[in-house]
């Protein structure tokens, strides 16, 4: 019986990280991905930029599209004030099952709501399901060809307010060219590119931070 990479990543967390210590979980995953097996976590370099944006926004409600193993979920949730929440959406139930255990190991389950499903189905249901008006921060890290349609969908569903922040991973590699073009051209967004590298590599990648102006 062969384990999957997410399962091996979880084992590395359970072996090397301290229960209830989110930073040790982040460190254990980065160590695993650098020393053992690459995985598509936002990683330590782009992760520091994510930390900066989260700390600056100090959000009450965060939407993460693309949980994978929960690495960025833990990075975000560890910085949130009490009562703040991350709603994170994962399409792949096997990934979601691993992420749930990684988030629990970090002791952050009270700050995180993990959903299994597709963004196109769930974005229209967010308000009624969670009794929220808008998201203070959205971290886009799912299918790169869904960044643009889902951003338009969030606008249409009234999930963005004046000052809501969109932070998109992988705008260079694998790339989200139509999304980049949209947020950089639109008068409804003020956009800024944070040059970095693809997680655990020397390949260029970056995060695009876009403020919704309403
Ligand atoms: O593909 C990436 N992520 C998305 C994975 C699938 C998300 C599916 N999903 C989750 C929630 C959800 C909701 N609705 C619909 C679909 C949904 C990704 C890839 C690379 C990468 C890979 C190979 C390479 F050579 C270079 C770069 C690096 C990254 O950092 C990435 O994030
Ligand atoms: Mg990514």
């Amino acid at each position: 019986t062969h384990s999957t990479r997410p399962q091996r990543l979880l084992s590395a967390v359970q072996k090397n990280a301290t229960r209830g210590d989110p930073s040790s979980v982040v460190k254990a995953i980065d160590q695993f991905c650098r020393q053992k097996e690459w995985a598509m976590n936002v990683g330590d370099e782009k992760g520091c930029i994510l930390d900066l944006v989260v700390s600056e926004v100090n959000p009450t409600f965060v939407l993460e599209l693309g949980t994978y193993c929960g690495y960025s979920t833990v990075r975000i949730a560890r910085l949130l004030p009490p009562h703040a929440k991350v709603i994170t959406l994962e399409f792949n139930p096997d990934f979601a099952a691993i992420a749930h255990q990684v988030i629990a190991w970090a002791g952050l389950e009270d700050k995180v709501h993990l959903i299994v499903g597709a963004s196109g189905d769930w974005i229209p249901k967010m308000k009624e399901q969670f009794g929220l008006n808008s998201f203070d921060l959205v971290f886009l890290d799912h299918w790169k060809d869904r960044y643009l349609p889902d951003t338009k969908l969030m606008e249409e569903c009234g999930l963005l307010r004046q000052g809501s922040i969109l932070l998109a991973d992988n705008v260079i590699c694998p790339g989200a060219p139509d999304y980049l073009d949209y947020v950089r051209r639109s008068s409804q967004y003020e956009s800024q590119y944070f040059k970095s590298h693809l997680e655990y590599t020397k390949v260029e990648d970056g995060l695009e931070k876009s403020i919704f102006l309403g």
Side-chain angles (χ1 to χ4, degrees):
T1 55
H2 303 281
S3 66
T4 65
R5 180 167 307 185
Q7 283 170 330
R8 294 192 291 273
L9 183 149
L10 173 61
S11 299
V13 167
Q14 294 168 333
K15 178 165 176 278
N16 302 314
T18 308
R19 263 187 180 284
D21 177 356
S23 294
S24 74
V25 169
V26 168
K27 198 167 175 336
I29 294 173
D30 285 329
Q31 208 168 333
F32 174 78
C33 292
R34 280 195 183 283
Q35 293 168 9
K36 300 282 188 334
E37 303 183 58
W38 186 91
M40 61 180 170
N41 317 117
V42 73
D44 43 0
E45 191 179 316
K46 288 185 290 179
C48 284
I49 300 165
L50 172 62
D51 289 357
L52 270 174
V53 173
V54 172
S55 301
E56 184 190 12
V57 176
N58 202 33
T60 301
F61 283 111
V62 182
L63 174 62
E64 176 179 63
L65 300 173
T67 316
Y68 188 42
C69 295
Y71 173 90
S72 46
T73 323
V74 168
R75 279 204 86 113
I76 294 166
R78 86 189 203 287
L79 298 175
L80 295 185
H83 316 303
K85 289 266 184 279
V86 186
I87 296 168
T88 185
L89 190 54
E90 178 49 52
F91 183 73
N92 180 315
D94 300 327
F95 294 170
I98 297 296
H100 184 82
Q101 296 173 80
V102 167
I103 292 158
W105 197 268
L108 292 169
E109 53 273 58
D110 294 348
K111 291 184 179 299
V112 177
H113 197 105
L114 172 54
I115 306 170
V116 183
S119 49
D121 300 335
W122 272 94
I123 285 171
K125 294 193 289 191
M126 284 291 165
K127 287 197 172 196
E128 64 182 301
Q129 288 290 321
F130 297 97
L132 52 90
N133 282 319
S134 59
F135 287 107
D136 305 304
L137 172 67
V138 182
F139 182 53
L140 298 96
D141 195 21
H142 60 326
W143 287 331
K144 310 314 165 194
D145 62 2
R146 288 296 314 178
Y147 283 20
L148 181 53
D150 286 344
T151 296
K152 289 180 173 173
L153 190 56
M154 286 187 285
E155 288 172 15
E156 286 153 23
C157 295
L159 284 167
L160 304 179
R161 52 132 174 108
Q162 199 163 36
S164 289
I165 304 284
L166 304 183
L167 187 65
D169 190 26
N170 311 114
V171 294
I172 304 300
C173 177
D178 57 343
Y179 172 81
L180 267 191
D181 197 53
Y182 177 75
V183 290
R184 291 175 175 176
R185 282 170 183 268
S186 165
S187 59
Q188 285 198 292
Y189 292 92
E190 179 57 41
S191 232
Q192 181 184 4
Y193 175 60
F194 292 83
K195 187 173 187 298
S196 185
H197 296 93
L198 177 68
E199 47 267 29
Y200 317 115
T201 77
K202 291 183 166 45
V203 174
E204 182 180 344
D205 188 20
L207 300 174
E208 188 82 0
K209 177 191 168 194
S210 307
I211 307 172
F212 185 62
L213 304 173

